[in-house]
Structure formats: C-alpha cells, structure tokens
Amino acid sequence: MDKFEMYIQIRGLVNQRYSVSAIARKLKISRNTVYKYLKKSPDEMAEWTASTMIRTKKLDIHKELILNWLRKYPDISAAQVYDWLKEKFPSFKVGESTVRNYVKEIREKFSIPKEAQKRNYEAIPDPPMGEQIQADFGFVTVRNKVGKPVKLMFIVFVLAHSRYKYVWFQNRPFTTKDVVVAHKKAFIAFGGVSKEILYDQDRLLVVSENEGDLLLTEEFQQFVNEVKFKVVLCRKADPESKGRVENAVGFIKKNFVQHRVFHNIDSWNEQCQHWLSRTGNGKINNGTKRRPTDVFLLEKQHMRQVSLLNHNSNTSITRSVRKDNTVLFLSNRYTVPLGTYQKHPEVSTMRNKENKLIIYVKETGEVLASHSISPDKGQLIRNTSHQRDRSKGLKELMDDVGSYFTNGEMIQMYFQELRNRYPRYLRDQLSIIKKCIDVSSVEVLNDTLSLCMERQLFSANDFQDVVQLLKRQRQVNMNNPSAIAESKPTSADVEELPLLEAEAKQRPLDQYVAIMEGIK
C-alpha cells in the first residue's frame, strides 16, 4: 500500500472515532506507525512521501552488481547475495535484513521473480553438547572458467548441538580411505570427536544393516575401532532424523556452491573454508538464533580428545622432507608427492610387517607414500605418481607455437624432427621459435617453415637465421620497389646464412700501437 494512501485511511478511521490500537489492528501496522502518521499534516505527508521516492540508499552503489547477479541467476537467494557482497567487499558493513529488503525491491521493480523451494523437517530436540555429529554426502555440478561442467563430491560434518560445520570437496568419487581422511580432518577442526556419529546407509561405510545390527566395511570398521565412537544409521527414507546435516547440505549448495566458478580443487576447498568462517559457521542459525561459532566454543569442551594416528607411535619416527621431496631412510631416498616439502616439512615413517616403508602425516594419519624397502644403499626409490608430468606442459607449448602457422601438418612434421634430433632440448628449441613468432609476421613464419623443410634445416637456430634473412630482404624490397620480383630467397641465399651473419672482429688502434712498442 502506498504511504500517502495509508495516511488517508488512518485519517478516515480517526474521523470515525477508531482508537489507535484499533487502527493498528485493522491496517496490520504498529501503533508507533499510526502515531507517526497522525503527527503529520497532509502537506507534510505529501512532502515526506515525495522525499522517500528520491532518497538514496546504502546499497545503491552496488545496485548494478546486484541487478546483474539477479538477472544472471534468477534463483539466487538474498542470503547468498549478502555473502557474495561480503566476499567481494571485505569492509562491507550493511545488515543482512537491509540486503534482503533491497533485493526484494529490485526483484519487484525489474520483474525478476524467484521460485522458493522449501523442505520441511520434523522438529527434533537438540542433543547434549558433544553427543552427536551428523555426516552426509553431496554432489554438485559447477562450471569452470571456460563454462565446462565439473562434477564435485563433498562430505559434510555437523555438530548436532551447535550446528558447527566442516566440509571437504573432491573432484573424484569418494573411497572409504577418502572418507576416513575426511573424518580426521573434521576431528581436527572440531578439536575432538563426539560420542556418536549419525550416517545414511552408504555403501562406503556399511555392508548391511539388520534391525540395528551393523556390518561395516572392513576399512571403516578398523577406523571406528581405533577412534572408538558409536555408529548410528538413519532408517531408510527417513531424512528428517538427520535434518541438521540435510539442511547444511542444502545451505552449502545454495549459498556457497551455486553460481561459483571452479578453478581447481585446492582453491575451491580454500574458498570453502573461508566461507565456513564467514557465513557457514559465522551466520546466526535460524533454529538456535545463535552463531554456530559462539556455541561451538562451549561444545568443544565436551568433545573427546583422540589420537588420529593410524600407526603405532612406538615404531613411528619423525623425519624431515628434503627439498627434492624425498625422505632419507636407511641410506636410501624415498619419494613423496610433489609439494610435500612445502606442505609438510616433517612427516612420520614406520616399517610395517610387509617390509614396506609407510610415510604419513603425523597430525592426520594421512598416508603420503608406501614403498618397498630396498636392501641396497644410495638408491632413489621412486613412485611414478610422484613425478612431475612434464609432457603436458611441453604439449601445450607445441600447440601454442603451432597455432601461429597456416600449414598445421608441416609444422607438426618439423616439431617431430626437432624431437628426434634434440630430445633433451626440445623445450629450448621451441622457446627460440616462440621468440621468432613474437617479432615476425605470419607470412614470414610460413615462408621460413617452407624453406627450412625444403633445405632440411631442422634446428631452431637455423629457423631463427632464416627469419632474420627474410626480414632483411623484405626491408630491402620496401626501400627498392623494383626488387620485389626477386624478393623470395633462393637456396644459395640460405646456404650463405652463416657467411651473412659473420662479422670480422677488429681491435682498437691503441692495441696495435702497444704491440709495435713491445717489438721495439
């Protein structure tokens, strides 16, 4: 209802001797609003109403950005708009309710409706602090920076009392080993483990369930025995029994994942941890009316401390990771994945019953490498998965250089010859050609390639010399138009390339004088 129209109605009801309370009930407004309107004369009301139409708002500076988001993603929620604004502008101080009202006004003004999807759950009393963690899996399809779809899987852990959350994403399906590692990451984030953990009947965890009797997968059962917590399963088709984690899955999909561009899995998980601190655990929960972060400070004290090592600490030894991502053991070097030196400068090692060296992260128990122990000395024991994939970067460089030539088949033949003649220096050869590309026209490059193939000059240095020859001849032709007909270099010109490049070295005159004085 228009403000001035409401003012007229209030005045009319006053004339009919309605009380302020009766007017407020009838128009469904507060009594303070009625009093505020009654204090104004018709002229004052008209002036005030007109001023509200042109009054600027705090979010007007972000209007185009918000409008662009709403048009691009019509189903985006006001809560996600609020989170994106905080992410984009760290100093953003506007309240969430203000953002919600502003988004609502823009939707109405520009006719951008939103279809709300709601899911109802049965209310269940909160368990005591430290009593229960709820866990669940989810998967989403996102887009990378070129618009290609990428499937991501994630696992969510929620402390049932405080609603404090932990999330871990993967760009491949989870295995039982991955699930165990994710549990350990969550326990570290929570500072301990609860008495019980509630799950769906997932095949990675449960083989079968018969009226409460559980048969867990072997690897997961070993983990449960080690950490000592109770496994509780939801009944089939009863998602309400773990409504807290179900809500968390939906919240993650709609507020964090939706419309976010994927770059790589590491940066994605890093963004997610920032989101958890900022919004996932930092925003007031609708059910508890408190921030999960605040309640977690109390619940954390009720969590049971656990050792997250998979191995006997009596046989475990801490070792330093060398700069070349190897670990020294009995005078041999054993590789670990690239980047371990930066992430985990110190790791733990143990020798198991199968005479294998297990290298793992002490804090989480995550296994980094497993090697058969060599009886020799001074050997490098390497896992092929730990080596850098150099072929990918080389192929990208060849594709990049080859894209500047018109005859794709001929340039690939030339690359193959370079590969055969300079297998260890192919990258250097391609780099020289790349430098020629940066300072030459397409015509010069194509003519150079044809001449090199014709004269079998399979060297990047020869390629560079031919480029320089062609560029010199073209410069001469520009200065002497009558010589254009003879502009194409001949085989004799190519054969004389070393001679053309050679320059006689000349000594300064004073050196000759010094020599003559010495003879005297």
Side-chain angles (χ1 to χ4, degrees), residues 321 324-326 334-343 359 366-371 383 385-387:
V321 179
D324 58 356
N325 289 289
T326 60
Y334 295 83
T335 62
V336 290
L338 291 175
T340 302
Y341 173 74
Q342 288 80 10
K343 293 181 180 179
I359 305 174
E366 177 186 358
V367 176
L368 298 172
S370 175
H371 296 280
N383 187 328
S385 64
H386 298 164
Q387 301 177 32

Side-chain angles (χ1 to χ4, degrees), residues 116-133:
Q117 297 180 352
K118 297 183 179 180
R119 182 175 181 178
N120 297 319
Y121 295 92
E122 179 184 355
I124 299 176
D126 289 340
M129 290 188 178
E131 179 74 19
Q132 185 185 83
I133 293 174

